[in-house]
Amino acid sequence: MAKTLSITTWNINSVRLRIDQVLRFLAEDQPDVLCLQETKCPDPVFPTGAFANAGYGHQAFIGMKGYNGVAILSREPIRPLGAREMCAKPDARHIAVEIGEGASAIQIHNFYVPAGGDIADPEANPKFAHKLAFVEELRQFSEGQRKAVPRSVLVGDLNIAPLEHDVWSHKQLLDVVSHTPVETDAMKAAIAEGEWCDAFRVLTPEPQKLYSWWSYRSPDWAAADKGRRLDHIWLGRGLKDQLVSGAIRKETRGWERPSDHVPITLTLERD
DNA sequence: ATGGTGGTTAGACCA
């Protein structure tokens, strides 16, 4: 068995439109497991063959027409654990698998948290209310995982930048959905409840800036560098001592017709 | 500064 396990998470913003970019990334980086969000792809037309040809023949995915959708692609066998209906909605925002055998098995949970709309007021904006309810459900889920499955990894586009240095300007974004105190507090509560290790922040502590997303609306995204860290990989209490390294593939944001998110990869020591 | 850009899909809806 391999001595390490590498897991990538990437909001691809249409897996069919960007299949060539995903395949390029897989060829270059060869993570063991790739978790995607916003596949925007119904299951019957998911590009299973393209991933299998690239060496990722073990697949779990759930999608819908036009919106949302998550997938887990693996180079080695996985056991599907199914998809949760978060907030009682069948909207394809979670899927999970188990990888590895016996006592060394690891659960991987891939989430796509609602973006939350533009107005940071749950009374005025149902999308923001949905986001807050989703993160509260994530907190409850975290409690269960902490107790029952300490060897868990939670990844995804969580659409919240929890820390001051997870955004280009803390003060200018305090009223902007993704960095409001009610969201960042809710996310911190979920992390605490699960005793999750925020892996990229252990590897690169504040005050160093970390971003995984740059808006399409920024005319010169690289020069302006007004990013946010919306994508995350959390390690359960049974895995936090196995953290090896992390990588943020910022250069993919400069590819032709890119996703607005970039892939982030965490490597774990394996036992 | 209340725009700006992009994907899905054919007029909005979502990010």
Side-chain angles (χ1 to χ4, degrees):
Chain A
M1 188 182 286
K3 290 186 176 174
T4 60
L5 178 71
S6 56
I7 303 173
T8 299
T9 179
W10 194 3
N11 177 320
I12 195 60
N13 188 15
S14 177
V15 70
R16 285 178 290 174
L17 185 68
R18 272 180 260 285
I19 186 65
D20 290 344
Q21 296 191 34
V22 185
L23 296 178
R24 174 179 171 184
F25 168 77
L26 291 175
E28 291 179 0
D29 284 46
Q30 303 189 348
D32 295 307
V33 178
L34 173 66
C35 300
L36 298 174
Q37 304 86 35
E38 277 206 275
T39 54
K40 297 185 174 178
C41 183
D43 292 347
V45 288
F46 190 86
T48 53
F51 285 115
N53 289 339
Y56 293 79
H58 305 278
Q59 308 177 354
F61 49 83
I62 184 164
M64 57 191 286
K65 189 176 177 182
Y67 307 106
N68 309 331
V70 286
I72 301 177
L73 298 317
S74 173
R75 308 177 70 177
E76 64 183 87
I78 51 178
R79 283 176 296 284
L81 298 176
R84 301 172 75 91
E85 288 195 353
M86 299 293 287
C87 301
K89 296 176 193 288
D91 57 357
R93 293 181 179 274
H94 167 266
I95 195 160
V97 302
E98 189 173 61
I99 190 167
E101 299 300 326
S104 66
I106 292 171
Q107 280 192 9
I108 300 172
H109 291 265
N110 179 14
F111 283 97
Y112 175 47
V113 173
D118 290 329
I119 301 163
D121 177 358
E123 310 267 320
N125 174 10
K127 293 183 201 170
F128 195 70
H130 179 209
K131 183 178 196 177
L132 295 180
F134 194 108
V135 177
E136 165 59 18
E137 204 166 309
L138 202 60
R139 185 191 66 75
Q140 295 169 22
F141 165 80
S142 298
E143 179 184 17
Q145 290 300 113
R146 167 173 54 81
K147 291 176 177 170
V149 194
R151 293 174 60 85
S152 293
V153 182
L154 189 158
V155 315
D157 174 7
L158 306 185
N159 267 318
I160 295 172
L163 303 176
E164 180 173 344
H165 298 281
D166 291 338
V167 294
W168 64 276
S169 170
H170 175 60
K171 285 184 180 172
Q172 286 179 252
L173 286 168
L174 274 171
D175 296 328
V176 175
V177 170
S178 74
H179 195 61
T180 65
V182 65
E183 293 170 85
T184 58
D185 288 350
M187 174 169 274
K188 288 169 186 169
I191 292 172
E193 190 77 78
E195 289 179 35
W196 296 110
C197 163
D198 178 355
F200 277 78
R201 273 306 181 196
V202 170
L203 294 164
T204 308
E206 294 200 290
Q208 187 158 335
K209 295 288 190 185
L210 282 181
Y211 309 140
S212 65
W213 173 89
W214 291 262
S215 172
Y216 283 129
R217 296 175 186 173
S218 182
D220 194 348
W221 71 274
D225 200 24
K226 293 182 174 179
R228 304 177 203 170
R229 186 171 73 110
L230 303 181
D231 303 275
H232 301 275
I233 300 181
W234 297 346
L235 299 179
R237 58 188 174 86
L239 292 173
K240 54 186 64 171
D241 292 336
Q242 289 163 244
L243 183 51
V244 175
S245 63
I248 300 178
R249 287 292 308 276
K250 182 177 179 178
E251 61 273 27
T252 65
R253 186 63 179 77
W255 288 358
E256 194 175 346
R257 291 192 88 186
S259 170
D260 46 354
H261 295 253
V262 303
I264 67 171
T265 300
L266 193 77
T267 300
L268 295 177
E269 199 177 304
R270 207 139 122 146
D271 45 16

